[in-house]
Amino acid sequence: MQLFKTLRLATRDYQHEWKTSICFVLGLSAVLGPMMVLYGLKVGIIGGMFNQLIENPINREIRPVSSGRYERAWLGALHRRDDVTFVVPHTRNIAAMIELQSQRASRIIKAETIPSDHGDPLLDPIRVTPTGLHAVVLSRSAANKLKVDVGDTISGSIKRRYRDQSERVHIDLKIIGIAPLESFARDGVFADLRLVEALEDFRDGHAVPALGWTGDVVTGERTYPGFRLYARSIYDVENLERLLNEAGIDVRTRSTQIALVVKMERNLNAIYWLIALIGLVGFALSLGASLWANIDHKRKELSVLRLVGFRTGDIIWFPMIQAFYTAVLGTLLAVGLFQGVAWLINDLLGQQLSNGEPVCILYQEHYIAAAVLTIVTALISAILAGIRAARIEPSDGLREL
Amino acid sequence: MTAEANPISIYQIRNLLLDRESQGVSFRLAVPSLQIRQGEKIALIGESGCGKSTLLDILAFIAQPTESDGFLFHPEELDVGVHIDYHWRKRNLNQLGDLRKKHIGYVMQTGGLLPYLNVRDNMNLSRHVLHQEDDGSVEQLAMQLGIARHLNKLPETLSTGERQRVAIGRALAHNPSIVIADEPTASVDPFAAEKIMSLFISLAEARNITVIVASHAWQHVNKLGLRRLSHHTQRSSDGRTTETIVNG
């Protein structure tokens, strides 16, 4: 095998014919570069939309539309599912309202209490869990109106009509965290479920011994009118929705929006690959044709190699090695082009996008895929030229005809 | 030079024919008998189109004879001769190629140097294919050919005459048994041609290399002591068939 010698000669020839080589490389990057930019835009834009979908827990949220009677055990079973990350029961909405007052603001505001627990996706960013009857996390809007911050204590109060008497109770609440604006836009209080239950119990005329509130003593299993559930990922939402529907529970989800983005990605992918395929075939044909024609140009030199004893099997590598160089250099140049254009796009458009995510981006695996695809295509298109080169006989170039 | 002094013939050919047809004209080369001994210097003189190149191609195992009663190739280094006609019939092209690369050096009309290799690498090409180590012989040869100062230059920077010297160097560099040269000085002026030719012959002589040179018109055959192969060409009256008979 003279493969190493063929490699050396093909390399020297490629260097010597640098003008032709540059044309090959430019031709390749002219096809590959724009294709990478196109794909980068697809990855950036669709990827950004996906990230927003994935990062915002609201998209994974599932809530029943109308109130039902859900038991703790049933909700527990739901929680244990692999595709569910978090479930917390709800009390009745009206019963969950609480009036809040701080010493710093004169206003009294009405806020909703939101049952929370460990692993609540809405409180994920601040990593705080309200536990017990006197600790709460305020929503940003409520905290602003009350002019309070973490560590402050506020007073909550609720009233009821009990045995024809109006009664009001007060409870001190320590603020252990403030939820980000995205988690809850209205005035709200994230609280331990026990606190929310206590408020409901008091309103219903029941006793809450832990807080010293008097009333009727009630026994029996508690049921909840609703719950707040989060799927593991946006891809699990559709399945969970179907499952709950089958159980006779109408739920509200973002599955339509998710499906829209998924469908958009699929369509854009199809369009992209169609363009890429056309580009790739065009590149393969043009490189193949150039290499094929180049064999005529090199006929004499190749026949000299045959004359000094290179076998047909060695000669076949000659155009393939050169096609490999074209593919590698062309890919590198295309990557350079892409990075320049991507930088420009991100710099120009990035300022207009609030989240600051890149509009045009490719990841390592995309670069590797582009290189592998290009090299394989180049080698395939060089095979015909290689076979043609191998057919050259020593006598072909001996005399100028 | 007699058969007794050097009993082995490097080429032994009997009743060889090669027919070729192109554009309605048929051409036949007939070699009833040809013996070339090791170390002989042979000249084939004749106008172009008479079949010199075809004979050279046959002797270099490049062209396949249409038929032959015997085509034995027996260079000194081999214990037994090789039946070239057998390999052609079996289409053992790679074996023929191997024989060629080991035993034959070829000087092309226009040099046939690779433009992307410098003079040293061009001369070394035949050696490298045979995995011969660099032993300084290429430098020595370049000195003898008067091209030592060009060793690191690309062929395109040399004159035609210098390029032919490189081509001769390449044909000799791997110490073949035979060097076949097809019009090696056709593109050079007559004065330079004579100088190059005598240099070539003396280098081959010193290495006991058999030389076969084809040329269309050349006055120096006798001066350099080459044996001229006799051949005569007949054309049919309508010009459609040409037959060349070579003997020697």
Side-chain angles (χ1 to χ4, degrees):
Chain A
M1 239 345 217
Q2 305 276 348
L3 183 56
F4 183 71
K5 293 191 172 68
T6 313
L7 178 78
R8 208 174 133 261
L9 291 174
T11 311
R12 295 284 279 276
D13 183 35
Y14 198 73
Q15 290 170 342
H16 185 254
E17 301 263 350
W18 58 273
K19 284 177 199 156
T20 316
S21 308
I22 284 177
C23 288
F24 279 144
V25 170
L26 286 178
L28 168 56
S29 43
V31 175
L32 191 59
M35 239 147 64
M36 288 178 84
V37 172
L38 209 62
Y39 198 70
L41 282 171
K42 192 212 77 107
V43 170
I45 292 170
I46 297 290
M49 288 170 83
F50 255 94
N51 277 344
Q52 283 174 22
L53 270 183
I54 290 163
E55 274 169 19
N56 195 343
I58 285 169
N59 295 307
R60 293 187 280 127
E61 193 179 273
I62 299 176
R63 282 169 186 268
V65 175
S66 48
S67 53
R69 295 170 69 84
Y70 306 106
E71 283 161 12
R72 200 180 271 270
W74 183 83
L75 289 168
L78 210 54
H79 200 170
R80 281 190 293 276
R81 288 179 58 94
D82 281 341
D83 50 0
V84 172
T85 49
F86 182 78
V87 185
V88 73
H90 262 201
T91 57
R92 292 192 318 280
N93 285 339
I94 297 165
M97 294 307 286
I98 186 168
E99 287 172 15
L100 299 175
Q101 186 175 22
S102 81
Q103 286 165 344
R104 302 204 185 151
S106 51
R107 264 173 92 173
I108 295 174
I109 63 164
K110 278 195 166 185
E112 305 164 44
T113 50
I114 307 142
S116 184
D117 204 346
H118 287 285
D120 188 342
L122 292 184
L123 298 185
D124 245 10
I126 57 168
R127 302 185 179 285
V128 171
T129 307
T131 320
L133 298 172
H134 297 283
V136 291
V137 171
L138 281 188
S139 77
R140 174 46 60 195
S141 132
N144 286 350
K145 284 178 187 164
L146 293 170
K147 296 180 182 158
V148 289
D149 212 336
V150 177
D152 292 342
T153 301
I154 54 172
S155 167
S157 82
I158 51 171
K159 62 174 187 177
R160 67 174 176 189
R161 280 202 76 77
Y162 183 63
R163 293 179 181 163
D164 290 332
Q165 298 259 320
S166 181
E167 288 183 13
R168 181 174 282 276
V169 287
H170 295 271
I171 179 169
D172 281 347
L173 301 170
K174 191 176 164 67
I175 301 163
I176 58 160
I178 292 166
L181 194 60
E182 307 89 79
S183 296
F184 197 81
R186 300 185 300 272
D187 297 339
V189 184
F190 291 90
D192 191 322
L193 179 64
R194 282 168 291 179
L195 175 58
V196 185
E197 284 176 1
L199 301 181
E200 188 182 54
D201 284 345
F202 176 75
R203 283 225 164 80
D204 290 346
H206 301 156
V208 182
L211 289 166
W213 299 339
T214 53
D216 307 332
V217 176
V218 183
T219 50
E221 179 74 25
R222 191 184 188 105
T223 62
Y224 302 90
F227 56 85
R228 181 161 62 95
L229 180 150
Y230 293 89
R232 178 182 48 190
S233 79
I234 54 166
Y235 303 102
D236 296 314
V237 170
E238 203 181 335
N239 185 44
L240 282 168
E241 181 177 12
R242 202 183 55 241
L243 210 81
L244 291 167
N245 284 341
E246 278 165 11
I249 304 161
D250 257 353
V251 290
R252 189 167 41 223
T253 66
R254 294 266 183 131
S255 60
T256 357
Q257 287 95 318
I258 294 167
L260 194 75
V261 175
V262 170
K263 194 177 161 195
M264 201 153 96
E265 198 212 12
R266 209 179 298 138
N267 289 348
L268 277 177
N269 259 341
I271 292 169
Y272 174 78
W273 282 114
L274 195 71
I275 295 171
L277 192 73
I278 293 168
L280 214 61
V281 169
F283 159 66
L285 285 177
S286 87
L287 182 65
S290 318
L291 287 170
W292 172 273
N294 211 20
I295 299 299
D296 274 338
H297 176 59
K298 297 202 180 303
R299 192 163 207 88
K300 186 170 177 187
E301 293 158 26
L302 291 171
S303 73
V304 168
L305 293 182
R306 291 280 286 125
L307 195 67
V308 297
F310 279 82
R311 294 184 165 196
T312 52
D314 305 320
I315 300 288
I316 214 169
W317 290 101
F318 209 87
M320 300 204 34
I321 290 163
Q322 297 192 337
F324 176 78
Y325 287 141
T326 299
V328 170
L329 294 176
T331 307
L332 286 178
L333 184 59
V335 167
L337 277 174
F338 164 78
Q339 286 186 335
V341 173
W343 178 81
L344 217 70
I345 291 175
N346 291 334
D347 201 48
L348 291 179
L349 293 180
Q351 291 159 353
Q352 297 167 21
L353 298 171
S354 60
N355 56 7
E357 278 184 59
V359 183
C360 186
I361 191 173
L362 288 181
Y363 299 102
Q364 200 178 7
E365 63 263 31
H366 298 125
Y367 290 119
I368 293 170
V372 169
L373 207 64
T374 309
I375 289 168
V376 169
T377 309
L379 290 182
I380 289 173
S381 52
I383 285 177
L384 277 178
I387 291 171
R388 187 158 183 241
R391 287 221 184 104
I392 288 179
E393 289 297 319
S395 57
D396 282 356
L398 281 184
R399 285 156 210 109
E400 314 270 357
L401 296 172
Chain B
M1 214 179 279
T2 58
E4 288 79 42
N6 193 348
I8 300 176
S9 289
I10 192 161
Y11 285 106
Q12 283 183 58
I13 294 175
R14 266 188 306 117
N15 296 332
L16 180 145
L17 281 181
L18 187 143
D19 290 311
R20 200 175 271 164
E21 192 133 0
S22 76
Q23 291 160 348
V25 179
S26 68
F27 164 85
R28 163 171 282 193
L29 177 73
V31 186
S33 169
L34 178 67
Q35 312 259 332
I36 297 172
R37 285 183 299 279
Q38 179 78 51
E40 262 198 300
K41 314 280 171 282
I42 305 287
L44 261 167
I45 312 292
E47 65 207 71
S48 58
C50 72
K52 301 183 307 267
S53 298
T54 310
L55 182 60
L56 292 188
D57 286 355
I58 289 171
L59 295 177
F61 323 137
I62 293 168
Q64 179 173 16
T66 313
E67 57 176 275
S68 72
D69 287 349
F71 185 169
L72 193 71
F73 176 65
H74 195 173
E76 266 182 338
E77 305 93 277
L78 296 180
D79 293 335
V80 289
V82 182
H83 290 277
I84 301 300
D85 44 350
Y86 168 82
H87 283 306
W88 273 122
R89 272 198 303 277
K90 291 278 173 196
R91 300 292 298 167
N92 292 334
L93 298 185
N94 281 335
Q95 273 90 332
L96 290 173
D98 287 349
L99 281 172
R100 184 169 56 236
K101 89 176 161 196
K102 269 198 207 82
H103 303 291
I104 298 177
Y106 206 109
V107 185
M108 289 163 66
Q109 218 175 92
T110 49
L113 302 178
L114 298 178
Y116 45 88
L117 296 184
N118 65 21
V119 168
R120 184 195 312 274
D121 289 340
N122 259 298
M123 286 176 73
N124 259 321
L125 195 62
S126 46
R127 294 178 60 84
H128 280 163
V129 174
L130 291 170
H131 305 283
Q132 291 175 350
E133 298 292 321
D134 289 340
D135 56 359
S137 59
V138 162
E139 283 74 10
Q140 200 198 338
L141 204 52
M143 207 119 76
Q144 290 165 331
L145 284 161
I147 48 171
R149 66 185 189 282
H150 299 313
L151 275 171
N152 294 320
K153 294 182 186 168
L154 289 177
E156 64 199 14
T157 63
L158 305 186
S159 72
T160 320
E162 286 165 337
R163 266 182 254 165
Q164 282 312 104
R165 287 169 195 245
V166 178
I168 289 166
R170 184 173 70 193
L172 293 167
H174 60 301
N175 275 316
S177 311
I178 312 122
V179 171
I180 293 171
D182 187 7
E183 307 260 13
T185 54
S187 48
V188 189
D189 69 87
F191 179 69
E194 191 186 340
K195 238 173 111 180
I196 292 171
M197 212 49 221
S198 62
L199 191 56
F200 171 36
I201 297 298
S202 66
L203 285 172
E205 195 104 78
R207 291 165 165 77
N208 193 32
I209 291 172
T210 312
V211 172
I212 303 163
V213 189
S215 183
H216 59 284
W218 194 40
Q219 312 92 308
H220 318 292
V221 184
N222 296 325
K223 200 165 29 172
L224 292 168
L226 271 70
R227 172 161 76 101
R228 187 170 171 163
L229 282 191
S230 73
H231 68 87
H232 69 272
T233 304
Q234 304 172 316
R235 240 170 222 139
S236 64
S237 50
D238 59 1
R240 288 187 164 273
T241 53
T242 306
E243 184 176 4
T244 297
I245 300 170
V246 182
N247 260 308

